[in-house]
Amino acid sequence: FTVQNIFINLSDFSSPVVTTAKPLPPKPSIAANGPITFCADTNVVLTSSALQANSYLWSTGSNIQNVKINTSGSYTVKTISSQGCTSPVSDAVRIVVNPLPPTPTIVANGPTTFCADTNVVLTSSLQSAIAYRWSTGAANKNITVKTQGAYTVRTIDGNNCFSLNSTAVNVKVNPLPATPALFSTKDSVFCDGDNTV
């Protein structure tokens, strides 16, 4: 360039300035290592496709290539090249995290300590569940218990999400006393007027 003074005199040309346009990194994409709709007791790992990036800028604020997600939302990533250029933002990945069903409680229809010739019925408090999973493996909303142990139940909702385990109900089964035997001091067949102990 040149400059002009008030007398309309032009200076010599300045030294040239060389400019270089650095290319932008390509727009990254996001890959998920599993389903992007899941229950709140799990997560998904999102990975940027730009393997050679110098650094990453996720919408979460993370700056590594992989992020572990367990919250609903839309997630994007940009990459930064070794020359400091930032890529266009990726397409968003929408994550849906379904809440877990409420934790059930167990209701017993009688005492949970009883003799071995009886039982107790345990029922899940959540009657509207789609399915049930007892610690015994049973899938009904109630179970009949005849053996000693700690029993829990989980419920399953329409999103196939499992609740947390209920508080355990401890069942104690007392053994029956030994069957008694009768012994006679004399023959058990005797004449009228005689007796035996």
Side-chain angles (χ1 to χ4, degrees):
F1 69 91
T2 63
V3 293
Q4 186 176 23
N5 64 17
I6 59 172
F7 303 109
I8 313 179
N9 295 325
L10 293 176
S11 70
D12 292 333
F13 281 98
S14 67
S15 301
V17 174
V18 178
T19 60
T20 303
K22 298 176 185 177
L24 293 181
K27 175 180 171 180
S29 60
I30 298 174
N33 75 336
I36 57 175
T37 297
F38 51 86
C39 301
D41 58 349
T42 189
N43 57 61
V44 68
V45 175
L46 301 180
T47 303
S48 170
S49 63
L51 303 179
Q52 304 304 319
N54 198 49
S55 68
Y56 304 85
L57 183 57
W58 288 89
S59 52
T60 63
S62 178
N63 61 1
I64 57 177
Q65 185 182 5
N66 305 313
V67 290
K68 187 183 288 186
I69 303 295
N70 61 2
T71 306
S72 292
S74 291
Y75 296 89
T76 60
V77 67
K78 294 188 278 187
T79 60
I80 302 171
S81 71
S82 59
Q83 296 177 328
C85 297
T86 303
S87 73
V89 68
S90 69
D91 292 334
V93 172
R94 173 82 180 139
I95 302 296
V96 177
V97 180
N98 293 313
L100 301 182
T103 303
T105 56
I106 296 175
V107 179
N109 75 336
T112 56
T113 298
F114 50 84
C115 296
D117 59 347
T118 188
N119 59 56
V120 66
V121 175
L122 303 180
T123 303
S124 170
S125 64
L126 295 177
Q127 301 298 310
S128 61
I130 300 297
Y132 304 85
R133 290 291 181 274
W134 290 86
S135 51
T136 62
N140 301 326
K141 71 179 171 186
N142 52 43
I143 57 173
T144 300
V145 174
K146 298 179 181 180
T147 56
Q148 186 162 300
Y151 296 86
T152 61
V153 67
R154 300 171 78 186
T155 58
I156 305 168
D157 67 11
N159 293 316
N160 204 33
C161 293
F162 285 70
S163 72
L164 298 176
N165 275 326
S166 67
T167 301
V169 168
N170 291 305
V171 172
K172 183 178 179 188
V173 179
N174 294 318
L176 297 177
T179 303
L182 294 176
F183 299 96
S184 176
T185 57
K186 298 183 199 174
D187 190 357
S188 60
V189 178
F190 50 87
C191 297
D192 188 24
D194 204 354
N195 63 41
T196 185
V197 176

